[in-house]
Amino acid sequence: MEKEWLITVGEHKGAILDRFVKETAPQTMLELGTYMGYSAIRIVRLLPETAKFMTVEFDQENAAVAREMIEYAGLQNRIIQITSDTADVIPQLKTEYDVETLDMVFIDHWKDVYVRDIKLLETNKLLRKGTVVVADNIIYPGAPDYADYVRTCGKYDSTFHESLLEYSKDEIDGLEKSVFRG
């Protein structure tokens, strides 16, 4: 029997993410990977009304479902939804979305492009000293290249925060919190 589950941040990791958002209190935040909108809604409820929150989703169908969920939550005026490839969006954040730098980034999309996207954020000078970058699914399905990069490149102070895989009682996963050194 094949198991299926929603690929959202879930309850356990969601509580850790909530803590990071509260500690950082970002005024400008980017989420890479909207999926169904769960984490966007979860995050935005913790941000002040004046904060700018952008979320990027490549898949048109997922973006449409997320749009409905965000509207249902009454947050359509607080969440900027972008349906495109992150590799196309990141270089345009300064010019198209009036972003100088980001205070916080949540990465939770295709694990094989985590490294590409964090390097794009660096190259486009969207990170400043103290920017907090949180990446989900470090263990499962896994983002070992990303974890290795942020832990060894010398640009970040990184810590792994162990948790349970979403909707699991015993499978270990976790979030990597990396603070850009500037």
Side-chain angles (χ1 to χ4, degrees):
M1 178 178 189
E2 187 176 322
K3 281 187 186 177
E4 290 187 30
W5 63 87
L6 289 175
I7 51 173
T8 65
V9 73
E11 176 186 353
H12 300 287
K13 288 188 285 180
I16 297 170
L17 179 61
D18 287 356
R19 188 176 80 237
F20 296 157
V21 171
K22 288 175 186 174
E23 290 169 358
T24 306
Q27 285 297 311
T28 306
M29 184 168 176
L30 175 67
E31 175 185 49
L32 303 178
T34 311
Y35 189 51
M36 301 291 173
Y38 175 83
S39 54
I41 293 166
R42 185 175 188 120
I43 291 166
V44 168
R45 69 185 170 82
L46 300 173
L47 299 180
E49 295 274 336
T50 56
K52 177 182 261 187
F53 181 87
M54 299 152 291
T55 184
V56 183
E57 175 59 47
F58 179 77
D59 185 279
Q60 302 255 348
E61 290 178 17
N62 289 345
V65 171
R67 188 167 290 106
E68 289 182 30
M69 297 299 290
I70 289 165
E71 286 176 11
Y72 184 76
L75 297 171
Q76 65 274 15
N77 295 326
R78 297 194 52 208
I79 296 173
I80 300 167
Q81 282 189 265
I82 305 164
T83 306
S84 187
D85 188 319
T86 53
D88 296 329
V89 172
I90 292 170
Q92 297 178 359
L93 286 173
K94 287 184 181 259
T95 57
E96 299 296 317
Y97 297 94
D98 197 30
V99 173
E100 188 170 322
T101 58
L102 298 161
D103 299 318
M104 189 169 183
V105 179
F106 180 49
I107 304 176
D108 191 18
H109 58 339
W110 299 105
K111 311 319 168 211
D112 60 340
V113 297
Y114 276 26
V115 173
R116 177 199 74 188
D117 285 353
I118 197 161
K119 287 181 177 181
L120 278 171
L121 291 166
E122 294 167 2
T123 302
N124 287 278
K125 300 187 181 339
L126 289 158
L127 306 180
R128 57 151 179 84
K129 183 177 183 173
T131 295
V132 174
V133 181
V134 178
D136 193 12
N137 302 119
I138 296 300
I139 302 292
Y140 187 86
D145 293 340
Y146 175 84
D148 183 59
Y149 177 74
V150 294
R151 293 171 186 170
T152 64
C153 73
K155 299 176 187 178
Y156 301 89
D157 292 316
S158 288
T159 51
F160 176 71
H161 297 263
E162 185 176 293
S163 186
L164 294 174
L165 181 65
E166 41 274 15
Y167 312 107
S168 166
K169 292 182 178 16
D170 57 2
E171 290 186 64
I172 300 298
D173 193 15
L175 300 162
E176 187 80 14
K177 178 184 178 187
S178 305
V179 180
F180 189 63
R181 292 180 179 169

